[in-house]
Short mmCIF file of all heavy atoms in Angstrom, two decimals:
data_model
loop_
_atom_site.label_atom_id
_atom_site.label_comp_id
_atom_site.label_asym_id
_atom_site.label_seq_id
_atom_site.Cartn_x
_atom_site.Cartn_y
_atom_site.Cartn_z
N TRP K 57 20.69 50.96 14.58
CA TRP K 57 21.56 49.78 14.82
C TRP K 57 20.72 48.56 14.70
O TRP K 57 21.10 47.64 13.97
CB TRP K 57 22.16 49.80 16.29
CG TRP K 57 23.24 48.78 16.44
CD1 TRP K 57 24.61 48.99 16.22
CD2 TRP K 57 23.10 47.43 16.74
NE1 TRP K 57 25.32 47.83 16.49
CE2 TRP K 57 24.40 46.82 16.69
CE3 TRP K 57 22.08 46.63 16.99
CZ2 TRP K 57 24.61 45.49 17.03
CZ3 TRP K 57 22.26 45.23 17.22
CH2 TRP K 57 23.57 44.73 17.27
N SER K 174 18.18 44.45 30.38
CA SER K 174 19.27 45.37 30.43
C SER K 174 20.35 44.82 29.41
O SER K 174 21.52 45.41 29.32
CB SER K 174 19.83 45.51 31.90
OG SER K 174 20.36 44.29 32.28
N ASP K 175 20.09 43.66 28.77
CA ASP K 175 21.09 43.02 27.94
C ASP K 175 20.82 43.40 26.47
O ASP K 175 19.85 42.75 25.86
CB ASP K 175 21.15 41.47 28.17
CG ASP K 175 22.11 40.76 27.05
OD1 ASP K 175 22.78 41.54 26.34
OD2 ASP K 175 22.09 39.58 27.12
N ARG K 176 21.45 44.37 25.84
CA ARG K 176 21.08 44.91 24.53
C ARG K 176 21.35 43.84 23.46
O ARG K 176 20.94 43.95 22.30
CB ARG K 176 21.73 46.21 24.22
CG ARG K 176 23.27 46.11 24.08
CD ARG K 176 23.88 47.38 23.81
NE ARG K 176 25.35 47.24 23.61
CZ ARG K 176 26.12 48.17 23.17
NH1 ARG K 176 25.67 49.42 22.92
NH2 ARG K 176 27.41 47.99 23.02
N THR K 177 22.12 42.94 23.80
CA THR K 177 22.53 41.88 22.76
C THR K 177 21.39 40.92 22.51
O THR K 177 21.33 40.21 21.52
CB THR K 177 23.87 41.14 23.07
OG1 THR K 177 23.62 40.30 24.13
CG2 THR K 177 24.93 42.06 23.29
N THR K 178 20.45 40.72 23.46
CA THR K 178 19.31 39.71 23.34
C THR K 178 18.00 40.35 23.39
O THR K 178 17.04 39.98 22.66
CB THR K 178 19.36 38.60 24.45
OG1 THR K 178 19.52 39.23 25.66
CG2 THR K 178 20.58 37.75 24.22
N CYS K 179 17.82 41.50 24.18
CA CYS K 179 16.47 41.94 24.30
C CYS K 179 15.95 42.62 23.14
O CYS K 179 14.75 42.82 23.03
CB CYS K 179 16.34 42.89 25.61
SG CYS K 179 17.01 44.55 25.34
N ILE K 180 16.82 42.91 22.15
CA ILE K 180 16.17 43.59 20.87
C ILE K 180 15.76 42.54 19.90
O ILE K 180 15.16 42.89 18.97
CB ILE K 180 17.35 44.39 20.29
CG1 ILE K 180 18.67 43.63 20.08
CG2 ILE K 180 17.73 45.60 21.23
CD1 ILE K 180 19.20 43.71 18.78
N LEU K 181 16.12 41.28 20.18
CA LEU K 181 15.83 40.22 19.08
C LEU K 181 14.63 39.46 19.28
O LEU K 181 13.83 39.30 18.39
CB LEU K 181 16.99 39.22 19.18
CG LEU K 181 18.39 39.73 18.74
CD1 LEU K 181 19.46 38.58 19.06
CD2 LEU K 181 18.43 40.05 17.38
N PHE K 182 14.38 39.03 20.60
CA PHE K 182 13.41 37.98 20.75
C PHE K 182 11.92 38.51 21.02
O PHE K 182 11.79 39.63 21.60
CB PHE K 182 13.79 37.06 21.85
CG PHE K 182 15.05 36.30 21.58
CD1 PHE K 182 16.20 36.57 22.08
CD2 PHE K 182 15.04 35.29 20.55
CE1 PHE K 182 17.43 35.91 21.72
CE2 PHE K 182 16.12 34.53 20.15
CZ PHE K 182 17.35 34.81 20.74
N MET K 241 23.16 34.38 24.52
CA MET K 241 23.47 33.96 23.14
C MET K 241 24.85 34.52 22.74
O MET K 241 25.11 35.67 22.94
CB MET K 241 22.37 34.38 22.08
CG MET K 241 22.73 33.90 20.72
SD MET K 241 21.37 34.15 19.52
CE MET K 241 21.45 35.87 19.42
#
Side-chain angles (χ1 to χ4, degrees):
W57 194 95
S174 67
D175 175 6
R176 67 179 184 174
T177 68
T178 51
C179 77
I180 55 135
L181 295 170
F182 296 106
M241 182 170 68

